[in-house]
Amino acid sequence: MPATVLLDAEAVAKHVSRLGAEIERDHPDGVLLVGVLKGALLFVADLARAIRAVPVELDFMSISRFAPDSGRVKILQDLSSDIGGRDVVVVEDIVDTGLTLAYLIGQLRSRAPRNLSACTLLDRPSRRIVPHELRYRGFVLEDEFVLGYGLHTRDLYRNLPFVAAGDPEVVAATPAAYVEQLYGRGAGNAGGSSIGPVVA
Ligand code: IMP
Ligand code: MG
């Protein structure tokens, strides 16, 4: 089964631009965006540029998971600045079970920011274990496993400018299974003729 484009670059840009406007509206004094590496790197870079009327500072955290769905995570790379008294938005690529975000929010809240909220490009509420208020939310997924625009399998597919849905069992068995299709030949398009029409 081929992968399908779920959000093309234009649809991604629309979500980014809307979320940037929402964050800007709620943060007249400026905002510190905390990107969760590596998945949110592309999103946070575009989001920062979509916020034009107030200053944006950027910081990053990197988290590892000890075991899938266990909720036991470890900070691999911590923030470079003190967030005490700051207006902070944590930026995620996708919120699935919510365990990663719950851990991060707990960590950051203990450092006494003035405001703390969460922004995710993709939300998959059907698998949520820890409920969490997502003040800024891009696209809501059904059950699709997604790749591209920061999202990966074995670090592949992150640089695709769109979000594609694929079969998790296919990439678990063969991580590069969708490379030929999604990168295609002659690039510059959504990956070639095997990719069907795009849905926003
Ligand atoms: P959570 O802690 O279950 O909410 O998981 C969030 C993390 O799982 C994300 O930041 C991703 O790294 C990863 N993840 C969840 N769903 C997907 C997916 O469909 N594709 C790729 N990575 C995913
Ligand atoms: Mg993430």
Side-chain angles (χ1 to χ4, degrees):
M1 189 185 78
T4 53
V5 175
L6 200 59
L7 296 174
D8 69 349
E10 203 182 318
V12 168
K14 275 189 191 158
H15 285 293
V16 170
S17 151
R18 172 177 57 80
L19 293 168
E22 289 175 17
I23 292 172
E24 184 177 290
R25 181 197 61 206
D26 295 344
H27 298 84
D29 302 330
V31 65
L32 172 63
L33 299 181
V34 171
V36 185
L37 295 174
K38 302 175 200 174
L41 180 63
L42 281 74
F43 177 40
V44 79
D46 287 339
L47 189 64
R49 282 176 286 197
I51 299 172
R52 298 201 184 86
V54 300
V56 172
E57 286 175 64
L58 289 170
D59 210 337
F60 297 92
M61 281 181 99
S62 173
I63 307 290
S64 96
R65 291 215 256 171
F66 283 109
D69 295 352
S70 74
R72 297 178 56 214
V73 294
K74 183 168 95 169
I75 296 178
L76 294 177
Q77 184 189 315
D78 208 337
L79 298 176
S80 63
S81 57
D82 179 8
I83 61 165
R86 306 294 310 278
D87 295 328
V88 179
V89 177
V90 180
V91 180
E92 267 285 22
D93 48 358
I94 183 168
V95 178
D96 184 36
T97 63
L99 290 165
T100 308
L101 187 62
Y103 175 79
L104 275 171
I105 291 283
Q107 271 290 325
L108 297 180
R109 189 163 282 146
S110 70
R111 304 177 192 187
R114 183 168 78 158
N115 273 300
L116 180 61
S117 56
C119 174
T120 189
L121 177 66
L122 302 168
D123 183 18
R124 193 189 288 115
S126 57
R127 278 179 36 96
R128 195 74 88 250
I129 292 172
V130 187
H132 200 280
E133 192 213 339
L134 289 167
R135 195 186 302 169
Y136 309 103
R137 191 161 77 144
F139 183 78
V140 180
L141 298 169
E142 299 290 329
D143 206 18
E144 303 95 335
F145 174 75
V146 285
L147 296 165
Y149 198 65
L151 290 142
H152 76 114
T153 286
R154 305 271 181 97
D155 264 321
L156 291 168
Y157 309 103
R158 289 194 197 273
N159 66 321
L160 291 170
F162 52 85
V163 176
D167 184 336
E169 286 174 22
V170 167
V171 285
T174 313
Y178 297 129
V179 164
E180 199 177 326
Q181 185 207 344
L182 292 177
Y183 288 90
R185 300 202 190 282
N189 55 30
S193 56
S194 52
I195 294 193
V198 153
V199 182

